[in-house]
Amino acid sequence: MNKALIAALALTLATAGCGTIRGSKLNPFNWFGKSQPEAQTTLAPKGGYPTQIGKPWQQPVAQVLSLSVDKASSGAIVTAMGLPPTQGYWQTDLVALNDGKPDANGTMTYRFMLTPPAADSADARRVSTQQSREVSAAAFISNYKLQGVRKIVVEGAGNARSVRR
């Protein structure tokens, strides 16, 4: 009877300790938090715009809806959901700014770029529902590039979202 009681007590104490691991930094699901709106006064970077970001025909998404960072075996996958003004936008990219390196504050910044529909297509004017216009883009960051990164920001034309470690 004593062995069963001790085993039950040990099992109870072991599972009670799991609650603290769930919220700790040891849990890989907690390495990056939830995305938050990022204050953005202007899209113009310090020193002016670079000559070209992304492909020549691409433009920034109107609004970044969500941002998540998922742990992978050799790095992390950054996934962003965006909302263009009309339907028909395609060929999405997360373009790394600053040559894909974090700035002095440990912030890695991406610009959410996409290709607009052809001007003569019916999709260039169709708006419909938000769900039908949503587009997504993803980028992989290796563990080597993640060293020193404390924050990841994805910018659009109207807003930006960020996640912190």
Coordinates of all heavy atoms in Angstrom, one line a residue, residues 46-145:
K46 N 15.5 55.8 -42.7 CA 16.5 56.9 -42.5 C 17.4 56.9 -43.7 O 17.9 55.8 -44.1 CB 17.2 56.6 -41.2 CG 16.4 56.7 -40.0 CD 17.2 56.4 -38.7 CE 16.3 56.4 -37.5 NZ 16.9 55.9 -36.3
G47 N 17.7 58.0 -44.2 CA 18.6 58.1 -45.4 C 17.9 58.0 -46.7 O 18.5 57.9 -47.7
G48 N 16.5 57.8 -46.7 CA 15.8 57.7 -48.0 C 15.6 56.3 -48.4 O 16.0 55.4 -47.8
Y49 N 14.8 56.2 -49.5 CA 14.5 54.8 -50.0 C 15.6 54.2 -50.7 O 16.4 54.9 -51.4 CB 13.3 54.9 -50.9 CG 12.0 55.1 -50.2 CD1 11.3 56.3 -50.1 CD2 11.3 54.0 -49.7 CE1 10.1 56.4 -49.4 CE2 10.1 54.1 -49.0 CZ 9.5 55.3 -48.9 OH 8.3 55.4 -48.3
P50 N 15.8 52.9 -50.6 CA 16.8 52.3 -51.4 C 16.4 52.2 -52.9 O 15.2 52.5 -53.2 CB 17.0 50.9 -50.9 CG 15.7 50.7 -50.1 CD 15.2 52.0 -49.7
T51 N 17.3 51.9 -53.8 CA 16.9 51.9 -55.2 C 15.8 50.9 -55.5 O 14.9 51.2 -56.3 CB 18.1 51.6 -56.1 OG1 18.7 50.4 -55.6 CG2 19.2 52.7 -55.9
Q52 N 15.8 49.7 -55.0 CA 14.8 48.7 -55.3 C 14.7 47.7 -54.1 O 15.7 47.2 -53.6 CB 15.2 48.0 -56.6 CG 14.2 46.9 -57.0 CD 12.8 47.5 -57.2 OE1 12.6 48.5 -57.8 NE2 11.8 46.8 -56.7
I53 N 13.5 47.4 -53.7 CA 13.2 46.4 -52.8 C 12.3 45.3 -53.4 O 11.3 45.7 -54.0 CB 12.5 46.9 -51.5 CG1 13.4 47.9 -50.8 CG2 12.1 45.8 -50.6 CD1 12.8 48.6 -49.6
G54 N 12.7 44.1 -53.4 CA 11.9 43.1 -54.1 C 12.1 43.1 -55.6 O 13.0 43.7 -56.1
K55 N 11.1 42.5 -56.3 CA 11.2 42.5 -57.7 C 10.6 43.9 -58.2 O 9.9 44.6 -57.6 CB 10.3 41.4 -58.2 CG 10.9 40.0 -57.8 CD 10.0 38.9 -58.1 CE 10.6 37.6 -57.7 NZ 10.1 37.1 -56.4
P56 N 11.1 44.3 -59.5 CA 10.7 45.6 -59.9 C 9.2 45.9 -60.0 O 8.8 47.0 -59.9 CB 11.3 45.7 -61.3 CG 12.3 44.6 -61.4 CD 11.9 43.6 -60.4
W57 N 8.4 44.9 -60.3 CA 7.0 45.1 -60.4 C 6.2 44.9 -59.1 O 5.0 45.1 -59.1 CB 6.4 44.1 -61.5 CG 6.8 42.7 -61.2 CD1 6.1 41.8 -60.4 CD2 7.9 42.0 -61.6 NE1 6.7 40.6 -60.3 CE2 7.9 40.7 -61.1 CE3 9.0 42.3 -62.4 CZ2 8.9 39.7 -61.3 CZ3 10.0 41.3 -62.6 CH2 9.9 40.1 -62.1
Q58 N 6.8 44.6 -58.0 CA 6.1 44.4 -56.8 C 5.9 45.6 -56.0 O 6.6 46.6 -56.2 CB 6.9 43.4 -55.9 CG 6.8 41.9 -56.4 CD 7.5 41.0 -55.5 OE1 8.5 41.3 -54.9 NE2 6.9 39.8 -55.3
Q59 N 4.9 45.6 -55.1 CA 4.6 46.7 -54.2 C 4.3 46.2 -52.8 O 4.0 45.0 -52.7 CB 3.5 47.5 -54.8 CG 2.2 46.8 -54.9 CD 1.1 47.6 -55.6 OE1 1.4 48.3 -56.6 NE2 -0.1 47.5 -55.2
P60 N 4.4 47.0 -51.8 CA 4.1 46.6 -50.4 C 2.6 46.2 -50.3 O 1.8 46.9 -50.9 CB 4.5 47.7 -49.5 CG 5.3 48.6 -50.4 CD 5.0 48.4 -51.8
V61 N 2.3 45.3 -49.4 CA 0.9 44.9 -49.2 C 0.3 46.1 -48.4 O 1.0 46.8 -47.7 CB 0.9 43.6 -48.4 CG1 1.4 43.8 -46.9 CG2 -0.5 43.0 -48.4
A62 N -1.0 46.3 -48.6 CA -1.7 47.4 -47.9 C -1.7 47.3 -46.4 O -1.5 48.2 -45.7 CB -3.1 47.5 -48.5
Q63 N -1.9 46.1 -45.9 CA -2.0 45.9 -44.5 C -1.5 44.5 -44.1 O -1.9 43.5 -44.7 CB -3.5 46.0 -44.0 CG -3.7 45.9 -42.5 CD -5.2 46.1 -42.2 OE1 -6.0 46.1 -43.1 NE2 -5.5 46.1 -40.9
V64 N -0.7 44.4 -43.0 CA -0.2 43.2 -42.5 C -1.2 42.8 -41.4 O -1.3 43.5 -40.4 CB 1.2 43.3 -41.9 CG1 1.7 41.9 -41.4 CG2 2.2 43.8 -43.0
L65 N -1.9 41.6 -41.6 CA -2.9 41.2 -40.6 C -2.3 40.4 -39.5 O -2.7 40.6 -38.3 CB -3.9 40.3 -41.3 CG -4.7 41.0 -42.4 CD1 -5.6 40.0 -43.1 CD2 -5.5 42.2 -41.9
S66 N -1.4 39.5 -39.7 CA -0.9 38.7 -38.7 C 0.6 38.3 -39.0 O 1.0 38.3 -40.1 CB -1.7 37.4 -38.4 OG -1.6 36.6 -39.6
L67 N 1.3 37.9 -37.9 CA 2.7 37.5 -38.0 C 2.9 36.4 -37.0 O 2.5 36.5 -35.9 CB 3.6 38.7 -37.8 CG 5.1 38.4 -37.7 CD1 5.7 37.9 -39.0 CD2 5.8 39.7 -37.2
S68 N 3.6 35.3 -37.5 CA 4.0 34.2 -36.6 C 5.4 33.7 -36.9 O 5.8 33.8 -38.1 CB 3.0 33.1 -36.6 OG 3.0 32.5 -37.8
V69 N 6.1 33.2 -35.9 CA 7.4 32.6 -36.1 C 7.3 31.2 -35.5 O 7.0 31.1 -34.3 CB 8.5 33.5 -35.4 CG1 9.9 32.8 -35.6 CG2 8.5 34.9 -35.9
D70 N 7.6 30.2 -36.3 CA 7.5 28.9 -35.9 C 8.9 28.3 -35.9 O 9.7 28.5 -36.9 CB 6.6 28.0 -36.8 CG 5.2 28.6 -36.8 OD1 4.7 28.8 -35.7 OD2 4.6 28.7 -37.9
K71 N 9.3 27.5 -34.9 CA 10.6 26.9 -34.8 C 10.7 25.7 -35.8 O 9.8 24.9 -35.9 CB 10.8 26.4 -33.3 CG 12.1 25.8 -33.1 CD 13.2 26.8 -33.1 CE 14.5 26.2 -32.7 NZ 15.6 26.7 -33.5
A72 N 11.8 25.7 -36.5 CA 12.1 24.6 -37.4 C 13.4 23.9 -36.9 O 14.1 24.4 -36.0 CB 12.3 25.1 -38.8
S73 N 13.7 22.7 -37.4 CA 14.9 22.0 -36.9 C 16.2 22.8 -37.1 O 17.1 22.6 -36.3 CB 15.0 20.7 -37.6 OG 15.1 20.9 -39.0
S74 N 16.3 23.6 -38.1 CA 17.6 24.3 -38.3 C 17.4 25.8 -38.4 O 18.2 26.5 -38.9 CB 18.2 23.8 -39.6 OG 17.3 24.0 -40.7
G75 N 16.3 26.3 -37.8 CA 16.1 27.8 -37.7 C 14.6 28.1 -37.4 O 14.0 27.5 -36.5
A76 N 14.1 29.1 -38.1 CA 12.7 29.5 -37.8 C 12.0 29.9 -39.1 O 12.7 30.3 -40.1 CB 12.7 30.7 -36.8
I77 N 10.7 29.7 -39.1 CA 9.9 30.1 -40.3 C 9.0 31.3 -39.9 O 8.2 31.2 -39.0 CB 9.1 28.9 -40.8 CG1 10.0 27.7 -41.2 CG2 8.2 29.3 -42.0 CD1 9.2 26.5 -41.5
V78 N 9.2 32.4 -40.6 CA 8.4 33.6 -40.4 C 7.3 33.6 -41.4 O 7.5 33.5 -42.6 CB 9.3 34.9 -40.6 CG1 8.4 36.1 -40.4 CG2 10.5 34.9 -39.7
T79 N 6.0 33.6 -40.9 CA 4.9 33.6 -41.8 C 4.0 34.8 -41.5 O 3.7 35.1 -40.3 CB 4.0 32.3 -41.5 OG1 4.8 31.2 -41.6 CG2 2.9 32.2 -42.5
A80 N 3.6 35.5 -42.5 CA 2.8 36.7 -42.4 C 1.6 36.6 -43.3 O 1.7 36.1 -44.4 CB 3.6 38.0 -42.8
M81 N 0.5 37.2 -42.8 CA -0.8 37.2 -43.6 C -1.0 38.7 -43.9 O -0.9 39.5 -43.0 CB -1.9 36.6 -42.8 CG -3.2 36.5 -43.5 SD -3.2 35.2 -44.7 CE -3.3 33.8 -43.7
G82 N -1.3 39.0 -45.2 CA -1.5 40.4 -45.6 C -2.9 40.5 -46.3 O -3.5 39.6 -46.7
L83 N -3.3 41.8 -46.4 CA -4.6 42.1 -47.0 C -4.3 43.2 -48.1 O -4.1 44.4 -47.8 CB -5.6 42.6 -46.0 CG -7.0 43.0 -46.5 CD1 -7.6 41.7 -46.9 CD2 -7.8 43.6 -45.4
P84 N -4.4 42.8 -49.4 CA -4.2 43.8 -50.4 C -5.6 44.6 -50.6 O -6.6 44.1 -50.1 CB -3.9 43.0 -51.7 CG -4.3 41.6 -51.4 CD -4.3 41.5 -49.9
P85 N -5.6 45.7 -51.4 CA -6.8 46.4 -51.5 C -7.9 45.8 -52.4 O -9.1 46.0 -52.1 CB -6.4 47.7 -52.2 CG -5.0 47.4 -52.8 CD -4.4 46.3 -52.0
T86 N -7.5 45.0 -53.3 CA -8.5 44.2 -54.2 C -8.0 42.8 -54.4 O -6.9 42.4 -53.9 CB -8.6 44.9 -55.6 OG1 -7.3 44.8 -56.3 CG2 -9.0 46.4 -55.5
Q87 N -8.8 42.0 -55.1 CA -8.4 40.7 -55.4 C -7.4 40.6 -56.5 O -7.3 41.6 -57.3 CB -9.7 39.9 -55.8 CG -10.6 39.6 -54.6 CD -11.8 38.8 -55.0 OE1 -12.2 38.8 -56.1 NE2 -12.3 38.0 -54.0
G88 N -6.8 39.5 -56.7 CA -5.9 39.3 -57.9 C -4.4 39.5 -57.6 O -3.6 39.2 -58.5
Y89 N -4.1 39.9 -56.4 CA -2.6 40.1 -56.1 C -2.0 38.7 -55.9 O -2.6 37.8 -55.4 CB -2.5 40.9 -54.8 CG -2.7 42.4 -55.1 CD1 -3.9 42.9 -55.1 CD2 -1.6 43.2 -55.2 CE1 -4.1 44.3 -55.4 CE2 -1.7 44.6 -55.4 CZ -3.0 45.1 -55.5 OH -3.2 46.5 -55.7
W90 N -0.8 38.6 -56.3 CA -0.1 37.3 -56.3 C 1.4 37.4 -56.1 O 1.9 38.5 -56.0 CB -0.5 36.5 -57.5 CG 0.0 37.2 -58.8 CD1 -0.5 38.4 -59.3 CD2 1.0 36.8 -59.7 NE1 0.2 38.7 -60.5 CE2 1.1 37.7 -60.7 CE3 1.9 35.7 -59.7 CZ2 2.0 37.6 -61.7 CZ3 2.8 35.6 -60.7 CH2 2.9 36.6 -61.7
Q91 N 2.1 36.3 -56.2 CA 3.6 36.3 -56.1 C 4.1 37.1 -54.9 O 4.7 38.1 -55.0 CB 4.2 36.8 -57.4 CG 5.7 36.4 -57.5 CD 6.3 36.8 -58.8 OE1 5.7 37.6 -59.6 NE2 7.4 36.3 -59.2
T92 N 3.8 36.6 -53.7 CA 4.1 37.3 -52.4 C 5.6 36.9 -52.0 O 6.0 35.8 -52.3 CB 3.2 36.9 -51.3 OG1 3.3 35.5 -51.1 CG2 1.8 37.3 -51.6
D93 N 6.2 37.9 -51.4 CA 7.6 37.7 -50.8 C 7.7 38.5 -49.6 O 7.2 39.6 -49.4 CB 8.6 38.2 -51.8 CG 8.8 37.3 -53.1 OD1 8.8 36.1 -52.9 OD2 8.8 37.9 -54.2
L94 N 8.5 37.9 -48.6 CA 9.0 38.6 -47.5 C 10.4 39.0 -47.8 O 11.3 38.1 -47.8 CB 8.9 37.8 -46.2 CG 7.5 37.6 -45.6 CD1 7.6 36.8 -44.3 CD2 6.8 38.9 -45.3
V95 N 10.7 40.3 -48.1 CA 12.0 40.7 -48.5 C 12.7 41.3 -47.3 O 12.3 42.2 -46.6 CB 11.9 41.8 -49.6 CG1 13.3 42.3 -50.0 CG2 11.1 41.3 -50.8
A96 N 13.9 40.6 -47.0 CA 14.7 41.0 -45.9 C 15.4 42.4 -46.1 O 16.0 42.6 -47.2 CB 15.7 40.0 -45.5
L97 N 15.2 43.3 -45.2 CA 15.9 44.6 -45.3 C 17.3 44.5 -44.6 O 17.5 43.6 -43.8 CB 15.1 45.7 -44.7 CG 13.6 45.9 -45.3 CD1 12.9 47.0 -44.6 CD2 13.7 46.1 -46.8
N98 N 18.1 45.4 -44.8 CA 19.5 45.4 -44.2 C 20.2 44.1 -44.5 O 20.9 43.6 -43.7 CB 19.3 45.6 -42.7 CG 20.6 46.0 -42.0 OD1 21.5 46.6 -42.7 ND2 20.7 45.7 -40.7
D99 N 20.1 43.6 -45.7 CA 20.8 42.4 -46.2 C 20.5 41.2 -45.3 O 21.4 40.3 -45.2 CB 22.3 42.7 -46.3 CG 22.7 43.7 -47.3 OD1 22.0 43.7 -48.4 OD2 23.7 44.4 -47.1
G100 N 19.4 41.2 -44.7 CA 19.0 40.0 -43.9 C 19.7 39.9 -42.5 O 19.7 38.9 -41.9
K101 N 20.3 41.1 -42.1 CA 21.0 41.1 -40.8 C 20.2 41.9 -39.8 O 19.6 42.9 -40.2 CB 22.4 41.7 -41.0 CG 23.2 40.9 -42.0 CD 24.5 41.5 -42.2 CE 25.3 40.8 -43.3 NZ 26.4 41.5 -43.9
P102 N 20.3 41.6 -38.5 CA 19.6 42.4 -37.5 C 20.3 43.8 -37.4 O 21.5 43.8 -37.6 CB 19.6 41.6 -36.3 CG 20.8 40.6 -36.5 CD 20.9 40.4 -37.9
D103 N 19.6 44.8 -37.0 CA 20.2 46.1 -36.7 C 20.9 46.0 -35.4 O 20.9 45.0 -34.7 CB 19.2 47.2 -36.9 CG 18.1 47.1 -35.9 OD1 18.1 46.3 -34.9 OD2 17.1 47.9 -36.0
A104 N 21.3 47.2 -34.9 CA 22.1 47.3 -33.6 C 21.2 46.9 -32.4 O 21.7 46.4 -31.4 CB 22.6 48.7 -33.4
N105 N 19.9 47.0 -32.5 CA 19.0 46.7 -31.4 C 18.5 45.2 -31.5 O 17.7 44.8 -30.7 CB 17.7 47.6 -31.5 CG 18.1 49.0 -31.3 OD1 19.0 49.4 -30.6 ND2 17.3 49.9 -31.9
G106 N 19.0 44.5 -32.5 CA 18.6 43.1 -32.6 C 17.3 42.9 -33.3 O 16.6 41.9 -33.2
T107 N 16.9 43.9 -34.2 CA 15.7 43.8 -34.9 C 15.9 43.4 -36.3 O 16.7 44.0 -37.0 CB 14.9 45.2 -34.9 OG1 14.7 45.5 -33.5 CG2 13.6 45.1 -35.6
M108 N 15.3 42.3 -36.8 CA 15.3 41.9 -38.2 C 14.0 42.3 -38.9 O 13.0 42.0 -38.4 CB 15.5 40.4 -38.3 CG 15.7 39.9 -39.7 SD 16.1 38.1 -39.7 CE 17.9 38.2 -39.4
T109 N 14.1 43.1 -40.0 CA 13.0 43.7 -40.6 C 12.8 43.1 -42.0 O 13.7 42.9 -42.7 CB 13.2 45.2 -40.7 OG1 13.4 45.7 -39.4 CG2 11.9 45.8 -41.2
Y110 N 11.5 42.8 -42.3 CA 11.1 42.3 -43.6 C 10.0 43.2 -44.2 O 9.3 43.8 -43.4 CB 10.5 40.9 -43.5 CG 11.5 39.8 -43.2 CD1 11.8 39.4 -41.9 CD2 12.1 39.2 -44.3 CE1 12.8 38.4 -41.7 CE2 13.1 38.2 -44.1 CZ 13.4 37.8 -42.8 OH 14.3 36.8 -42.5
R111 N 10.0 43.3 -45.5 CA 9.0 44.1 -46.2 C 8.1 43.1 -46.9 O 8.6 42.2 -47.7 CB 9.6 45.1 -47.2 CG 8.6 45.9 -48.0 CD 8.1 47.2 -47.3 NE 9.0 48.0 -46.6 CZ 9.8 49.0 -47.1 NH1 9.7 49.2 -48.3 NH2 10.5 49.7 -46.3
F112 N 6.8 43.1 -46.7 CA 5.8 42.2 -47.3 C 5.5 42.7 -48.7 O 4.8 43.7 -48.8 CB 4.6 42.1 -46.5 CG 3.6 41.0 -46.8 CD1 3.0 40.3 -45.8 CD2 3.4 40.6 -48.1 CE1 2.1 39.2 -46.1 CE2 2.5 39.6 -48.4 CZ 1.9 38.9 -47.4
M113 N 6.0 42.1 -49.8 CA 5.8 42.6 -51.1 C 5.0 41.6 -51.9 O 5.0 40.4 -51.6 CB 7.2 42.7 -51.8 CG 8.2 43.6 -51.1 SD 7.7 45.3 -51.1 CE 8.0 45.8 -52.8
L114 N 4.2 42.1 -52.9 CA 3.4 41.3 -53.7 C 3.2 41.9 -55.1 O 3.5 43.1 -55.3 CB 2.0 41.0 -53.1 CG 1.2 42.0 -52.4 CD1 0.7 43.1 -53.2 CD2 0.2 41.4 -51.5
T115 N 2.8 41.1 -56.1 CA 2.6 41.6 -57.4 C 1.1 41.9 -57.7 O 0.2 41.1 -57.4 CB 3.0 40.5 -58.4 OG1 4.4 40.2 -58.2 CG2 2.9 40.9 -59.9
P116 N 0.8 43.1 -58.2 CA -0.6 43.5 -58.4 C -1.1 42.7 -59.6 O -0.4 42.3 -60.5 CB -0.5 45.0 -58.7 CG 0.9 45.2 -59.2 CD 1.7 44.2 -58.5
P117 N -2.5 42.7 -59.7 CA -3.1 42.1 -60.9 C -2.9 42.9 -62.2 O -2.6 44.1 -62.1 CB -4.6 42.0 -60.6 CG -4.8 43.0 -59.5 CD -3.5 43.2 -58.8
A118 N -3.0 42.3 -63.3 CA -2.9 43.1 -64.5 C -3.9 44.2 -64.6 O -5.1 44.0 -64.1 CB -3.0 42.1 -65.7
A119 N -3.6 45.3 -65.1 CA -4.5 46.5 -65.1 C -5.8 46.2 -65.9 O -6.8 46.8 -65.6 CB -3.8 47.7 -65.6
D120 N -5.7 45.4 -66.9 CA -6.9 45.1 -67.7 C -7.7 43.9 -67.2 O -8.7 43.6 -67.8 CB -6.5 44.9 -69.2 CG -5.5 43.7 -69.3 OD1 -5.0 43.3 -68.3 OD2 -5.3 43.3 -70.5
S121 N -7.3 43.3 -66.1 CA -8.1 42.1 -65.6 C -9.3 42.6 -64.8 O -9.2 43.6 -64.2 CB -7.2 41.2 -64.8 OG -6.9 41.7 -63.6
A122 N -10.3 41.7 -64.7 CA -11.5 42.0 -63.9 C -11.1 42.0 -62.4 O -11.7 42.7 -61.6 CB -12.6 41.0 -64.2
D123 N -10.0 41.2 -62.0 CA -9.6 41.1 -60.6 C -9.0 42.4 -60.1 O -9.0 42.6 -58.9 CB -8.6 40.0 -60.4 CG -9.3 38.6 -60.6 OD1 -10.5 38.5 -60.4 OD2 -8.5 37.6 -60.9
A124 N -8.6 43.3 -61.0 CA -8.0 44.5 -60.5 C -9.0 45.4 -59.9 O -8.6 46.3 -59.2 CB -7.3 45.2 -61.7
R125 N -10.3 45.2 -60.2 CA -11.3 46.1 -59.6 C -12.2 45.4 -58.6 O -12.9 46.0 -57.8 CB -12.2 46.6 -60.8 CG -11.5 47.4 -61.8 CD -12.4 47.8 -62.9 NE -13.0 46.7 -63.7 CZ -12.4 46.0 -64.6 NH1 -11.2 46.3 -65.0 NH2 -13.0 45.0 -65.2
R126 N -12.2 44.1 -58.5 CA -13.0 43.3 -57.6 C -12.5 43.4 -56.2 O -11.3 43.2 -55.9 CB -13.1 41.9 -58.1 CG -14.2 41.1 -57.4 CD -14.3 39.7 -58.0 NE -14.5 39.8 -59.5 CZ -14.1 38.9 -60.3 NH1 -13.5 37.8 -59.9 NH2 -14.4 39.0 -61.6
V127 N -13.4 43.7 -55.2 CA -13.0 43.8 -53.8 C -13.5 42.5 -53.0 O -12.7 41.9 -52.4 CB -13.5 45.1 -53.2 CG1 -13.1 45.1 -51.7 CG2 -12.9 46.3 -53.9
S128 N -14.7 42.2 -53.0 CA -15.3 41.1 -52.3 C -15.0 41.1 -50.8 O -14.8 42.1 -50.2 CB -14.9 39.8 -53.0 OG -15.7 38.7 -52.5
T129 N -14.9 39.9 -50.2 CA -14.7 39.8 -48.8 C -13.2 39.8 -48.4 O -12.4 39.6 -49.2 CB -15.3 38.5 -48.2 OG1 -14.6 37.4 -48.8 CG2 -16.8 38.4 -48.6
Q130 N -13.0 40.1 -47.1 CA -11.6 40.1 -46.7 C -10.9 38.8 -46.8 O -9.8 38.7 -47.2 CB -11.5 40.6 -45.2 CG -10.1 40.5 -44.6 CD -10.1 41.0 -43.2 OE1 -10.9 41.8 -42.8 NE2 -9.1 40.5 -42.4
Q131 N -11.7 37.7 -46.5 CA -11.1 36.4 -46.5 C -10.7 36.0 -48.0 O -9.7 35.3 -48.2 CB -12.1 35.3 -46.0 CG -12.3 35.4 -44.6 CD -13.4 36.4 -44.2 OE1 -14.0 37.0 -45.1 NE2 -13.7 36.6 -42.9
S132 N -11.4 36.5 -49.0 CA -11.0 36.2 -50.3 C -9.8 36.9 -50.8 O -9.2 36.6 -51.9 CB -12.2 36.4 -51.3 OG -12.5 37.8 -51.4
R133 N -9.5 38.0 -50.2 CA -8.3 38.8 -50.6 C -7.0 38.5 -49.8 O -6.0 38.9 -50.2 CB -8.6 40.3 -50.4 CG -9.7 40.8 -51.3 CD -9.9 42.3 -51.2 NE -10.6 42.5 -49.9 CZ -10.4 43.6 -49.1 NH1 -9.6 44.5 -49.4 NH2 -11.2 43.7 -48.0
E134 N -7.1 37.8 -48.7 CA -6.0 37.5 -47.9 C -4.9 36.7 -48.6 O -5.2 35.8 -49.3 CB -6.4 36.8 -46.6 CG -7.2 37.7 -45.6 CD -7.6 36.9 -44.4 OE1 -7.4 35.7 -44.3 OE2 -8.2 37.6 -43.5
V135 N -3.6 37.2 -48.4 CA -2.5 36.5 -49.0 C -1.5 36.2 -47.9 O -1.5 36.9 -46.9 CB -1.8 37.3 -50.2 CG1 -2.8 37.4 -51.3 CG2 -1.4 38.7 -49.7
S136 N -0.6 35.2 -48.1 CA 0.4 34.9 -47.1 C 1.8 34.8 -47.8 O 1.9 34.6 -49.0 CB 0.1 33.6 -46.4 OG 0.1 32.5 -47.3
A137 N 2.8 35.0 -47.0 CA 4.2 34.9 -47.4 C 5.0 34.3 -46.2 O 4.6 34.6 -45.1 CB 4.7 36.2 -47.9
A138 N 6.0 33.7 -46.5 CA 6.9 33.1 -45.5 C 8.4 33.2 -45.9 O 8.7 33.3 -47.1 CB 6.5 31.6 -45.3
A139 N 9.2 33.2 -44.9 CA 10.7 33.2 -45.1 C 11.3 32.4 -44.0 O 10.8 32.3 -42.9 CB 11.2 34.7 -45.0
F140 N 12.4 31.7 -44.4 CA 13.1 30.9 -43.5 C 14.4 31.6 -43.0 O 15.1 32.3 -43.7 CB 13.6 29.6 -44.2 CG 14.5 28.7 -43.3 CD1 13.9 27.9 -42.3 CD2 15.8 28.7 -43.5 CE1 14.7 27.2 -41.5 CE2 16.6 27.9 -42.7 CZ 16.1 27.1 -41.7
I141 N 14.6 31.5 -41.7 CA 15.8 32.2 -41.1 C 16.6 31.0 -40.4 O 16.1 30.3 -39.5 CB 15.4 33.2 -40.0 CG1 14.5 34.2 -40.6 CG2 16.7 33.9 -39.5 CD1 13.9 35.2 -39.6
S142 N 17.8 30.9 -40.8 CA 18.7 29.8 -40.2 C 19.0 30.2 -38.7 O 19.0 31.3 -38.3 CB 19.9 29.6 -41.0 OG 20.8 30.8 -40.9
N143 N 19.4 29.2 -38.0 CA 19.9 29.4 -36.6 C 21.1 30.4 -36.5 O 21.2 31.2 -35.6 CB 20.2 28.1 -35.9 CG 19.0 27.3 -35.5 OD1 18.0 27.9 -35.2 ND2 19.1 26.0 -35.5
Y144 N 21.9 30.3 -37.5 CA 23.1 31.2 -37.6 C 22.6 32.6 -37.7 O 23.1 33.5 -37.0 CB 24.0 30.8 -38.8 CG 25.1 31.7 -38.9 CD1 26.2 31.6 -38.1 CD2 25.2 32.7 -40.0 CE1 27.3 32.5 -38.2 CE2 26.2 33.5 -40.1 CZ 27.3 33.4 -39.3 OH 28.4 34.3 -39.4
K145 N 21.6 32.9 -38.6 CA 21.1 34.3 -38.7 C 20.3 34.7 -37.5 O 20.1 35.9 -37.3 CB 20.3 34.4 -40.0 CG 21.2 34.4 -41.3 CD 20.4 34.6 -42.5 CE 21.2 34.7 -43.7 NZ 20.4 35.0 -44.9

